[in-house]
Amino acid sequence: MELLKVENLEVVYNDVVLVLKGLSLSAGQGRITALLGANGAGKSTTLKAISGLLEGEDGEITDGRVLLDGEPVQGLAPEKIVRRGVFQVMEGRRIFQDLSVEENLRCGAFTRPSREIAPGIEAVYGYFPRLKERRRQLAGYMSGGEQQMLAIGRALMAKPRLLLLDEPSLGLAPLLVEEIFEIVKKINQSAGVTILLVEQNARAALAIAEHGFIMENGRIVMDGPARELLSNPDVQEFYLGIGGSGEKRSYREVKHYRRRKRWLG
Amino acid sequence: MAYYLQLIIGGLVVGSIYSLVALGFVIIYKATKVVNFAQGELVMVGAYACFALTVQMQLPFLLAFLCTLVFSVILGLALERLVLRPMIGEPIISVIMVTIGLSSVLKSLVQLFWGTDIRVYPQVLPSEPVVIAGLPVAPVYIAAFALALTLFVIFTLFFKYSRLGIAMRATAYDQQAAQSMGVSIKNIFALSWCIATMVSSIGGIILGNINGINSQLGVLGLKVFPAVILGGLDSLLGAAVGGLFIGVLENVCDAGAKDLLGLSGFKEVAAFVFLVLILMVRPYGLFGTHEIERV
Ligand SMILES: Nc1ncnc2c1ncn2[C@@H]1O[C@H](COP(=O)(O)OP(=O)(O)OP(=O)(O)O)[C@@H](O)[C@H]1O
Ligand SMILES: [Mg+2]
């Protein structure tokens, strides 16, 4: 069963820049789906198109549909989409730095009835005990990892059905990435939240996802079960940094891949 | 000495009105980043609305007071919807021009309906002074100060604990992130204009009970600038302290200049002289936030 279906989405910024060029993807109910791609491919744009946050950036959906449980939600105001159960954790965490940790969490529950707030906060502390120790602290003074935890915890306060995570590993040490991804997996399993995970760290993302989509230049160029993507030689070469001969390769060579355009065919 | 103490008390009372107006100004600035040059005119409109209700329509004062509050909420909503919202996304200077235009329009409307004469409210509180610590103080002063204080306590609690109050602070920090929580930015903007017109109206009503009112009342809005810049543009506590301080400063400097230098009229400039001094020392005000610099 697909909770989210995106069909032939086209997004234009400032009336001229076409960033998504007929993108289609789907996210299965209760599953983790990864969306991978190079810088500037349009991953964040895809998430913002789903959550309605394009509105504030002079971006517009010019074609295609976003279906949540079969119902179109494209073009709705972001606050309406949040009330439908879609919550985006934006790239760069975007926590409210001059609010305390607990006030940030309360903000996450903006659309929920008051009686859910206290148990919600406790549940978040269950996933992220470190936040509890810092509950009264100004969020701006927390470390990057703690801020990411707060950003995810804040999202949980909204009790979303679909959680859109934009690069949760950004700027975190490998050990912390692992910790955070484990918690994401736990959230998915224990709360049954459907997750669409955008990542640069393809290996970490595919390790917890059931299904993956790879996008390039505003389109999906490949998709499949995470296990298959992990063993696919092209994916290994360009997203996991393992060259054909087994040696490490860098992202710089993505350009070289673009010239070949093997998947666009 | 007693003379100066009286001046300080008078300064605190007028200062508490500045504080209210500054509060309105800061709320709008924080939430919408609009510098509202019509804040003083909102005070004037509130004062005249209450005047019309008590004197011209003969309503009991308390009822007139409540009706004025309702009126100012509606006015705030209307201004936000019809004047400010179309300006969203326009350059800041255009928005400032619009608020300056708004102040002229409001002033002309008041002159149109009530002329330019000084109007006085009927006496609501007894005029017999109460003696506090050996000093006679007019009951209206005490009421004015208490009312302003109460409002500040209410708003402090509102911003600290209520869902909407926290959402307003969140919006002030990062609009798009607040939107991603399901906060409607339009509603927050409308709410901040409502609060701002309401507290300004209350300031106007208090002023009407202390002095007479006339169509130049809006000039008071200018006093808000030293008050908020002293307190930091985005701090409620700063607005409160700044307002009180400016009120006292004006009175004391005025008398001081008269006694010591034989100068009169220092009252009008004292606040602005002080403003320049403060900006030289602490450009973000006494209570304003420095940005938290870390990513
Ligand atoms: N607000 C905007 N206005 C104009 N162009 C934009 C805007 N936001 C993004 N773009 C452009 O759209 C393209 C896709 O951007 P997007 O942020 O979706 O990429 P991304 O895949 O998330 O990249 P990254 O991995 O670097 O975060 C980029 O070329 C970018 O310059
Ligand atoms: Mg991105």
Side-chain angles (χ1 to χ4, degrees):
Chain A
M1 209 10 235
E2 311 291 3
L3 176 59
L4 171 76
K5 257 177 110 82
V6 175
E7 296 175 347
N8 300 315
L9 205 59
E10 269 187 25
V11 167
V12 173
Y13 281 116
N14 309 320
D15 292 328
V16 281
V17 194
L18 182 65
V19 172
L20 297 189
K21 305 161 183 171
L23 174 133
S24 301
L25 57 74
S26 58
Q29 171 77 48
R31 292 172 181 269
I32 299 182
T33 305
L35 175 60
L36 312 173
N39 288 118
K43 305 181 296 297
S44 300
T45 303
T46 307
L47 294 194
K48 284 183 222 159
I50 297 169
S51 66
L53 289 172
L54 279 180
E55 190 190 76
E57 299 195 2
D58 205 9
E60 201 193 343
I61 298 179
T62 49
D63 199 12
R65 300 199 299 172
V66 178
L67 301 172
L68 189 69
D69 251 349
E71 277 185 52
V73 295
Q74 78 273 12
L76 289 184
E79 62 266 18
K80 297 238 166 68
I81 297 180
V82 171
R83 285 177 198 276
R84 299 267 182 114
V86 178
F87 197 103
Q88 177 174 1
V89 178
M90 298 180 71
E91 187 175 329
R93 325 186 229 283
R94 302 287 283 271
I95 59 162
F96 304 114
Q97 304 210 353
D98 54 8
L99 268 57
S100 73
V101 168
E102 207 150 294
E103 284 169 345
N104 267 276
L105 293 177
R106 283 173 178 275
C107 278
F110 185 78
T111 54
R112 309 298 305 181
S114 315
R115 71 188 132 76
E116 285 182 12
I117 292 180
I121 289 180
E122 279 316 308
V124 170
Y125 291 157
Y127 287 114
F128 303 107
R130 264 194 261 176
L131 293 182
K132 187 167 190 174
E133 296 159 23
R134 291 166 173 68
R135 61 207 291 178
R136 308 225 177 282
Q137 188 180 316
L138 276 193
Y141 291 120
M142 299 208 304
S143 77
E146 290 160 354
Q147 293 192 3
Q148 187 62 60
M149 295 176 186
L150 180 57
I152 296 175
R154 189 171 66 175
L156 294 181
M157 294 296 293
K159 297 237 169 92
R161 288 194 289 162
L162 173 63
L163 186 57
L164 310 172
L165 292 178
D166 198 346
E167 300 205 31
S169 74
L170 193 74
L172 303 187
L175 221 57
L176 203 55
V177 173
E178 216 168 280
E179 187 184 332
I180 293 214
F181 273 53
E182 256 161 43
I183 295 171
V184 168
K185 181 92 196 160
K186 204 158 100 191
I187 289 167
N188 165 253
Q189 283 170 346
S190 60
V193 185
T194 306
I195 295 175
L196 180 56
L197 174 63
V198 160
E199 259 305 328
Q200 292 281 348
N201 189 335
R203 189 189 310 279
L206 290 175
I208 61 166
E210 274 96 1
H211 200 90
F213 290 84
I214 295 180
M215 73 181 292
E216 191 63 56
N217 251 318
R219 289 190 189 88
I220 299 296
V221 289
M222 180 185 241
D223 82 285
R227 203 180 296 275
E228 279 175 29
L229 290 179
L230 272 172
S231 57
N232 179 299
D234 287 334
V235 176
Q236 286 192 342
E237 186 170 352
F238 300 111
Y239 291 97
L240 303 177
I242 305 167
S245 55
E247 75 217 19
K248 291 251 170 192
R249 284 225 200 168
S250 73
Y251 271 104
R252 247 173 274 138
E253 290 175 48
V254 167
K255 270 215 177 76
H256 150 74
Y257 142 76
R258 272 201 186 132
R259 250 176 272 126
R260 292 200 294 172
K261 290 202 169 161
R262 295 224 306 237
W263 299 332
L264 295 176
Chain B
M1 197 56 220
Y3 172 59
Y4 275 90
L5 277 179
Q6 286 289 3
L7 284 179
I8 289 175
I9 292 175
L12 284 175
V13 172
V14 176
S16 68
I17 298 169
Y18 293 164
S19 300
L20 283 181
V21 185
L23 175 72
F25 180 91
V26 165
I27 285 173
I28 288 182
Y29 179 76
K30 267 189 88 145
T32 70
K33 297 291 175 283
V34 170
V35 176
N36 180 19
F37 278 87
Q39 200 68 40
E41 277 68 23
L42 296 177
V43 175
M44 176 187 66
V45 170
Y48 274 96
C50 189
F51 172 79
L53 291 166
T54 39
V55 176
Q56 292 166 321
M57 299 175 65
Q58 302 279 319
L59 292 184
F61 178 74
L62 217 54
L63 186 60
F65 181 84
L66 294 176
C67 290
T68 308
L69 291 192
V70 174
F71 165 76
S72 53
V73 165
I74 296 169
L75 177 68
L77 285 178
L79 289 181
E80 194 276 332
R81 187 71 194 82
L82 302 176
V83 183
L84 274 305
R85 195 174 300 174
M87 298 302 295
I88 287 182
E90 300 296 325
I92 218 126
I93 187 74
S94 319
V95 182
I96 289 179
M97 294 313 251
V98 163
T99 67
I100 293 176
L102 179 64
S103 74
S104 313
V105 170
L106 290 175
K107 193 162 139 187
S108 317
L109 281 176
V110 163
Q111 286 178 350
L112 187 69
F113 283 109
W114 290 284
T116 50
D117 295 343
I118 292 188
R119 306 295 185 120
V120 272
Y121 279 41
Q123 190 90 26
V124 181
L125 292 169
S127 57
E128 191 61 32
V130 199
V131 178
I132 298 176
L135 285 171
V137 183
V140 65
Y141 274 24
I142 298 170
F145 195 76
L147 185 56
L149 192 70
T150 312
L151 283 172
F152 264 94
V153 171
I154 290 173
F155 280 108
T156 306
L157 296 175
F158 171 74
F159 283 109
K160 188 96 188 95
Y161 297 110
S162 79
R163 177 189 301 257
L164 270 177
I166 296 176
M168 281 180 84
R169 284 162 60 208
T171 307
Y173 185 78
D174 184 339
Q175 279 183 20
Q176 197 183 29
Q179 267 187 312
S180 80
M181 313 279 116
V183 177
S184 156
I185 302 299
K186 288 175 186 156
N187 291 352
I188 295 291
F189 283 16
L191 180 65
S192 45
W193 275 85
C194 277
I195 295 177
T197 44
M198 202 167 76
V199 292
S200 301
S201 287
I202 294 175
I205 296 170
I206 295 176
L207 209 64
N209 277 289
I210 296 176
N211 300 326
I213 55 175
N214 69 13
S215 61
Q216 298 305 315
L217 199 59
V219 175
L220 181 123
L222 289 181
K223 296 288 173 55
V224 160
F225 288 96
V228 293
I229 288 177
L230 171 63
L233 271 176
D234 55 359
S235 158
L236 293 192
L237 180 66
V241 176
L244 291 177
F245 187 86
I246 296 297
V248 173
L249 183 90
E250 273 184 350
N251 269 3
V252 173
C253 287
D254 187 48
K258 247 184 220 137
D259 291 351
L260 303 174
L261 310 169
L263 291 173
S264 59
F266 196 62
K267 189 169 189 165
E268 300 307 318
V269 294
F272 297 97
V273 171
F274 185 72
L275 167 67
V276 173
L277 292 180
I278 272 292
L279 280 178
M280 283 158 58
V281 191
R282 286 176 71 96
Y284 38 84
L286 291 185
F287 299 89
T289 37
H290 316 245
E291 302 260 294
I292 295 177
E293 300 246 359
R294 70 165 303 163
V295 237

